[in-house]
């Protein structure tokens, strides 16, 4: 049976194009208090004078049909494998959604008295404890809203630590980052006032120890930001050595925990010498990506760094849970309130549902699935590094590009085979990168279908390159002209366009 | 584990297919000394029945979630039409990733484009991004953007901005070489003192005001814009209660250069502080200085309209350390919820919600002011939040209200301003029934008289 | 903008074909009582000996992906207009779903003590009252599970009433049913032991009064089953006269209320002389059809017939609500417990959400939409009857069939235009019937698109009949060979087929 | 009205398009005397906020819904995995109609085909239909089918069949010329007395037994089949507690000719009695006598497999009064829920649920039997329901249990059998925690001793 076919789908205009004056999709209870005259309420000059011109007017049915129709244009995890490398698109359980929607959590105001919020505080406290155990690091803050936010937090903590240790403004301004790192790493380091120096990778796709030593020699190294397994899907086997080098040079080691799905229950950053790490709960701990968030990027660190974690922290005294605001060395707040609590609930539910064995089992299954793909494609696609992949496997378009077929084309052609493409052109250290991460949530049969599809595409690239170059052929719209889109950006609907498309 | 498709038997077969004999072999590349030699110290797996019971009992201990509340201060309890949560639960939306592959992500992309447009319409600005983490981080990014745009390094922030927003801004700029100065507010009006803003000169990148401000007072945004523009600085306007945009003159119409807002009021549960969604809008000319993602119109070869992530050269995955921000994952699904909320309520609904909030808040304010011993210290117009000065310490009064009357009466300002023990920030929205307001007033009266009893 | 396009969809095997030994999708808490040895529990000969061979073994992810994938092959109301005539496919609000799932209702056992079920009893009582007001009939039973079930109930009540009135077994065994009636009418009448006699319709599509008088002359007429508006979408303007004729002949009038969406708030069967009627809550009162149920078919009747309603009835005494089992003349039970309570909740929520004005407004909007379609197509398609349509409009393929294009072809071609077809080949009194019911839940724009699509198809039928005859062209599978399916029925999966399709 | 897309203005325009001036003109074909001259006497429209509050307060008055319960008797409280309700809430499923157009209804059709197969597997039969309204109407239809198949008009029904099922069958056959006779049950074993079934002869169309029967006793279905077949009658087996199919020998394996069951146990809430789903299965040779819808395999021109409604010539829309049944709409969505439940629990889960039900019920039975004054009158093996004979009248005892111990202790059999004042039908499932069972036992003990106090 073919994995996919084409079927009829509804097209749908913009919500503004569907709007009709006089339509209503809402009803409020009648105002039940004595009215205050408009002018006493608010002087005219402070009131809107545009009558919200342009904001849509629709019935509830219009809204439901609009968003239901456009939703059908999305690929999503519940349809199947979503192998975006580095994104860990695993199954998002409905059970976690149900937990997050319990009225006792959803209706709790963040500024409600501590005594009346004990359940929520316990949730955060327990999640902190589990994340601490999983990473092998003592301190945890749940405040960061996503991975990059966690990076910013962690790097700022390094900065604060060094300033304190070295007294005043530490002279250490260099943050070392491998060329394979995710873009958020240098961006976060920069935001924290560091100068980014790039470390080369070896031909095996590992951090170049020699180069690291060189860079550390200068004495102005604040730290290293490392992803492990790195973005090539390879475990940095010299990790303890790497940490030692940085520590000996007086710096600290930050680990980007985006790839923790390869390690949970198997190895702990804290045991390797890592000082601070962020986790992506929306990756490793299965909180839904929601088409681009919300995420949650808790920051975990050594006891030494704990004083610098953001304020407040959730602490426990006896059977009471408290918010600790008295943290003089803290870098301060990185977000209002306590982070994305709704994601904390889901992540805790996920950890408790997996349990001790389940967490490790998931790691094993994720790595095994990646191995199957490596095993099935290595003879056809260029695998730039020999090392066996962990939870994700990196290929390039080297062989196919000889015929003019590039990574982008292979990705688009995968769509015709019923798959969401892998992550493409990342990491940047290889040309035409294809980073494939199946996660543990994919069954053997679909892994085999994926391997087969990739092999078919390789064959097509030789026998019928045009077919691949013009893919996808099965979607309601074809490849979009992104260049023009960026040259003449249209970033919002305007009534003008309405008449245009109506 | 019931979420893992492949059974242990299947996994064993797969292992041998790839030439391994057991699962541990998968981790050969991890040196022994870096491995965890013991099982994790986490509890055994729970069944659904056990897990739900566990969380139900935790939820039950959040007593505050179950009672009438007048808390606002950055998180607002508004009614969210049932379809908002129903639609965002379509797995097409909530289990998708950032729309990197437009051909199979048009649903998400079109929704974001609609979100950007709605944000522009409500704020009165030209362009808006695909969302920020929340209002507080959006403000911090706005300060950094102002620095990029003006190449000036001093930013003046009103003292009436949400204290937690201010703290976040401080953290963000700590190492960016930006200096934050404070503009005092007038103790009589409750508004930022715009007449003489200390330190406002040609070295200032931006003036930041919040309206309605932290004390609920509506600022004179137009005046703020004039003062800022007079010295070539930008005006950054922050909005924590976005429901006010249904009634208040839009910041854009008042001359704001950057508008950031917390979008939680648009159908998103208070959920103990998150996830929320940050709105970020500015004028056309600064579009390329925006942080975060942007969705724009694009066409395919046949000229069919579609949407794509665009102007990516601003972003970290291309620009790395030179990016306008480090943000990657934003608040997509919450932005979608806000979009569905705004379209369901629509033009008239957003106006009516704002009207009801203002009406109920003013009713409450009148009633409370009439209670002996209580006063409203500020004279400026307000929307749905106002400060009440009580005759007793707020942190004695509020717990008594909670225990004796099962009402969360508001926020003790002492949480942020230790010097103001008796002040309470009260917020009223369309969900507060008159009976709740009257119960609050009755409760305040009781607490108050009992106090006099104690004294006499 | 075209209304629809084709897009990639996932194919999916049968759940049994996805199954793999050893997969698990569930977990129960550990057994917490002292175990009883197997043989004490149940003797071996009473136990299954097939180890549930063949029942699937799947992970939760498999199940979610399986049902999510196959779901995408369905057209549904949230995608747009679903103009099945006689089916009233109106918007199903999420609010009603939420109400039905409140734990206080969903977890209430039907045999819980009356005193502890007052909320549920009040719901049923209030719904009875509203339905009584809407139909103008005094008695209401919510027990029937669907329309046909309501018919059976109503017709049996007529039988019971006549037996009582005429003493013993009434000699009246004739049930008159128009040739345009829905198949359930004669089937229900037959089940109740009546002999069905068919009444002709007039050229205007109305009940033939003359023929009715004739048939009534015999003196053996038990009653008449009438649908009004009838299945041609026309209101029986002689309804009062019709009722009089039947009553004078000693019979009773049953009204099939499937088309009440044309009358709610505008006219009441009770006021027209109808004795008993069933309502389809899953049509007129928007409870979801669920791909073929559950439905709910309350039976409403005159005070005279009330003693014959099924047992129990929900009654009120003061502020207590009771189940009345003491009903000696009742026809008895037609269903265990009290009917499809979950549907009662939704229907009551729908009535309260619409309110006095809203109910009539919906009726007006529904009829207006049907008028728009009649208006837009009458010049192109054969409209067998002149009378202005009520909530649905009937056309035939008369003109198109000259070119060999028939109703079925037109229906299938509509799919390519992004529409679900109308009801076809019903009613049977015209050849090639196309019964179109837009309901009030469709906006003007989509009505116009539908008219346009139908006109296009009419054009194609002349210019390119093949195109229509081979439709649909846009679906993942084409027309299915139903003849062979019925000749060699395969009604279940068997392991054999597995190997066949795997 | 917010569910109606077209605004009043649009509708006015549409009216003039079709040549009318006002809405009432739409109803010209309805004679004035047949029209309603006044507005309906129903309340004004409610907003979501008001409606939800209204139903919440109604729901709150169903006290029984909130407490531990040992009620069964045709409706069973089992755990339903979260995904069951999540998946049936996809509008693709719940807002679709009966799959009349296969090209755009394959989701529903394939799911029903899977349902039919699962029903066959669990009942041990060859073919099953797409569902009936519920177990009780399925039984009535089975009786009518037996008459069609055998052309005989007498049907013997065990007195241990659910009383409400029996009532429904009576109503259905009242005018079908079918005579229902009763087969007594043995007061010692609680099983139907199969040795001498009064009136069992060559004129009998079918023998109907329920297993586990209404009193929880597992019948000797094989013996029943032999007795029935001996006179050329069919054996109809009814199952109200479908969870038992995970453990009990399938009726098909015991020789049943028609098996009907209530499918509510498969993940469907008790919901005050409905909607539930009736399962209906029989052997190959009677397939064309089945009532209701059937889905079968079909192929398109390219040979692609699909599914269609088939053997429609049995049905009312083709056969009219000669149809095998008048059923049209069935319980599609509930059948889907049951299908998802059966596949999620799967082979092992259905076995484990059955095992836990039986274990917990037997534990409860032992504990109760050990309480002075209480006895278990029946000796036959049972699954998860059993009769308890109390020392006091059940309708005194049960309310006291509810009030004093917040437990719904079971069903007073006097509801159906006035002659059995002290008998209670107790049901235990996997959701009853041991602590609940122990509380029930403790409660029974208390009530009992207090009774003796009263007497002494
Ligand atoms: C390796 C790596 N680091 C950091 C990030 C940033 O995480 P987030 O998107 O949650 O900010 C990502 C996510 O794409 C990533 O893959
Ligand atoms: C006119 C008419 N009568 C009766 C029925 C039967 O109703 P139900 O399908 O709910 O049994 C229908 C539904 O199709 C119908 O359209």
């Amino acid at each position: 049976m073919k994995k996919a076919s084409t079927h009829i789908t509804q097209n749908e205009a913009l919500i503004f194009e569907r709007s009709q004056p006089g339509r209503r999709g809402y009803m409020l209870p009648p105002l039940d208090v004595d009215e205050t005259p408009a002018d006493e309420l608010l002087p005219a000059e402070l009131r809107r004078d545009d009558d919200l011109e342009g904001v849509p007017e629709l019935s509830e049915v219009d809204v439901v049909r609009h968003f239901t129709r456009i939703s059908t244009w999305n690929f999503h995890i519940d349809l199947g494998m979503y192998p975006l490398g580095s994104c860990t698109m695993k199954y998002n359980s409905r059970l976690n959604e149900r937990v997050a929607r319990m009225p006792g959590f959803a209706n709790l105001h963040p500024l409600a008295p501590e005594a009346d919020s004990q359940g929520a505080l316990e949730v955060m406290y327990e999640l902190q404890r589990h994340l601490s155990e999983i990473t092998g690091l003592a301190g945890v803050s749940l405040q960061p809203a996503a991975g990059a936010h966690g990076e910013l937090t962690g790097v700022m903590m390094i900065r604060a630590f060094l300033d304190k240790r070295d007294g005043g403004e530490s002279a250490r301004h260099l943050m070392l980052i491998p060329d394979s790192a995710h873009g958020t790493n240098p961006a976060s380091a920069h935001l924290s006032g560091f100068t980014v120096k790039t470390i080369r990778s070896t031909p095996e796709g590992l951090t170049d120890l020699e180069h690291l030593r060189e860079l550390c020699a200068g004495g102005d190294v604040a730290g290293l930001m490392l992803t492990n397994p790195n973005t090539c899907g390879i475990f940095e086997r010299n990790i303890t050595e790497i940490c030692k080098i940085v520590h000996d040079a007086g710096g600290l080691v930050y680990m980007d925990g985006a790839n923790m799905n390869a390690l949970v229950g198997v190895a702990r950053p804290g045991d390797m010498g890592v000082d601070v790490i962020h986790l992506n709960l929306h990756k490793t701990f299965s909180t839904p990506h929601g088409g681009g968030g919300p995420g949650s990027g808790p920051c975990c660190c050594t006891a030494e760094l704990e004083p610098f974690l953001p304020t407040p922290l959730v602490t426990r005294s006896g059977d009471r849970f408290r918010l600790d605001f008295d943290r003089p060395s803290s870098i301060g707040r990185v977000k209002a309130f306590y982070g994305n609590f709704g994601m904390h609930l889901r992540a805790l539910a996920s950890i408790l549902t997996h349990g001790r064995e389940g967490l490790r089992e998931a790691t094993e299954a994720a790595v095994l699935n990646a191995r199957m793909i490596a095993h099935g494609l290595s003879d056809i696609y260029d695998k730039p590094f020999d090392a066996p992949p962990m939870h994700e496997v990196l290929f390039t378009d080297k062989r196919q590009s000889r015929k003019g077929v590039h990574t982008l084309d292979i990705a688009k052609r995968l769509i015709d085979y019923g798959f969401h493409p892998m992550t493409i052109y990342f990491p940047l250290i290889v040309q035409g990168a294809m980073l494939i991460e199946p996660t543990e949530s994919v069954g053997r049969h679909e892994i085999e279908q994926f391997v087969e599809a990739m092999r078919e595409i390789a064959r097509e690239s030789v026998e019928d390159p045009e077919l691949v170059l013009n893919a996808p052929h099965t979607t309601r719209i074809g490849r979009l002209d992104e260049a023009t889109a960026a040259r003449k950006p249209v970033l919002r609907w305007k009534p003008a366009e309405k008449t245009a498309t109506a | 584990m019931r979420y893992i498709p492949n059974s242990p038997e299947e996994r064993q077969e797969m292992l041998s297919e790839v030439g391994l004999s057991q699962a541990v072999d998968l981790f050969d590349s991890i040196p022994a000394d870096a491995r965890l030699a013991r099982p994790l110290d986490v509890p055994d797996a729970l069944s659904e029945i056990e897990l739900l019971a566990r969380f139900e009992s935790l939820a039950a201990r959040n007593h505050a979630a179950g009672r009438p509340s007048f808390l606002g201060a950055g998180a607002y309890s508004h009614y969210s039409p049932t379809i908002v949560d129903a639609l965002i639960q379509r797995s097409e939306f909530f289990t998708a990733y950032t729309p990197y592959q437009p051909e199979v992500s048009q649903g998400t992309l079109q929704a974001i484009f609609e979100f950007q447009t709605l944000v522009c319409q409500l704020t009165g600005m030209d362009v808006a991004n695909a969302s920020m983490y929340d209002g507080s981080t959006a403000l911090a990014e706005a300060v950094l953007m102002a620095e990029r745009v003006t190449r000036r390094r001093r930013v003046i922030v009103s003292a009436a901005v949400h204290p937690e927003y201010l703290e976040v801004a401080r953290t963000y700029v700590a190492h960016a070489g930006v200096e934050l100065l404070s503009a005092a507010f007038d103790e009589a009006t409750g508004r930022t003192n715009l007449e003489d803003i200390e330190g406002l000169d040609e070295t200032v990148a931006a003036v930041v005001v919040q309206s309605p401000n932290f004390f609920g007072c509506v600022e004179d945004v137009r005046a703020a814009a004039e003062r800022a523009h007079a010295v070539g600085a930008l005006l950054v306007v922050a909005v924590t209660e976005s429901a006010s945009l249904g009634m208040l003159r839009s910041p854009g119409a008042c001359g704001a250069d950057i508008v950031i807002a917390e979008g939680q009021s648009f159908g998103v549960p208070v959920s103990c502080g998150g996830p929320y969604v940050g709105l970020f809008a500015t004028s056309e000319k600064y579009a390329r200085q925006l942080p975060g993602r942007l969705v724009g119109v694009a066409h395919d070869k046949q000229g069919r309209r579609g949407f794509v992530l665009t102007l990516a050269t601003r972003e970290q995955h291309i620009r790395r350390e030179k990016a306008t921000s480090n943000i990657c994952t934003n608040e997509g699904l919450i932005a979608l919820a806000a979009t569905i909320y705004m379209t369901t309520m629509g033009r008239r609904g957003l106006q009516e919600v704002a009207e009801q909030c203002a009406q109920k808040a003013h009713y409450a304010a009148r009633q409370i002011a009439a209670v002996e011993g209580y006063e409203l210290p500020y004279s400026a117009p307000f929307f749905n939040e106002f400060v009440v000065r009580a005759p007793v310490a707020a942190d004695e009064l509020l717990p008594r209200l909670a225990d004796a009357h099962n009402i969360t009466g508001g926020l003790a300002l002492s949480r942020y301003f230790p010097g103001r023990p008796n002040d309470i920030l009260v917020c009223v929205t369309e969900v507060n029934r008159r009976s709740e307001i009257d119960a609050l007033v009755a409760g305040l009266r009781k607490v108050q008289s009992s106090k006099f009893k104690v004294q006499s």
Side-chain angles (χ1 to χ4, degrees), chain A residues 86 146-148 151 182 184 227 231 256 258 278 280 282-283, chain B residues 97 328-329:
Chain A
S86 205
E151 294 171 25
H182 191 268
T184 50
T227 308
T231 62
D256 178 331
H278 83 263
N280 300 65
H282 45 300
K283 296 180 180 184
Chain B
Y97 198 73
C328 180
T329 290

Side-chain angles (χ1 to χ4, degrees), chain A residues 116 122 126 292 333 356, chain B residues 17 44 54 61 67 171 330:
Chain A
D116 301 331
E122 181 169 349
E126 186 176 353
R333 266 189 184 284
R356 185 189 292 100
Chain B
E17 257 185 74
D44 287 327
R54 175 82 198 288
R61 290 173 47 218
R67 62 185 182 225
T171 310
N330 51 33

Side-chain angles (χ1 to χ4, degrees), chain A residues 354-373:
Chain A
H354 281 79
R356 185 189 292 100
E357 269 74 36
L359 287 171
R360 185 187 165 102
E361 196 183 347
T363 304
E364 292 171 355
V367 174
L368 178 55
N369 277 345
R371 275 301 168 87
M372 287 287 286
I373 290 169

Side-chain angles (χ1 to χ4, degrees), chain B residues 48-49 52-53 79-83 90-92 430-431 433:
Chain B
E48 280 202 9
I49 296 177
L52 290 169
Y79 182 70
S80 183
T82 300
I83 59 170
R90 282 187 61 80
S91 47
E92 285 80 349
E430 81 281 3
V431 301
R433 271 182 272 93

Side-chain angles (χ1 to χ4, degrees), chain A residues 6-72:
Chain A
T6 59
H7 190 55
I8 187 89
T9 6
Q10 297 291 309
N11 292 328
E12 175 70 8
L14 285 165
I15 196 73
F16 310 97
E17 295 160 350
R18 204 187 236 269
S19 170
Q20 293 293 337
R23 291 192 178 188
R24 295 275 179 113
Y26 82 98
M27 179 182 178
L28 287 177
L31 184 65
D32 60 359
V33 300
D34 336 1
E35 280 206 45
T36 307
D39 50 346
E40 284 177 41
L41 215 51
L42 210 67
E45 70 273 14
L46 295 180
R47 289 177 165 273
R48 280 195 96 99
D49 52 3
D50 64 354
D51 195 25
L52 284 183
E53 178 71 54
V55 174
E57 298 176 70
L58 298 154
S59 71
E60 180 172 312
V61 187
D62 286 304
V63 177
V64 168
R65 286 180 172 163
H66 175 78
F67 288 100
T68 302
R69 285 177 173 185
I70 69 176
S71 76
T72 62

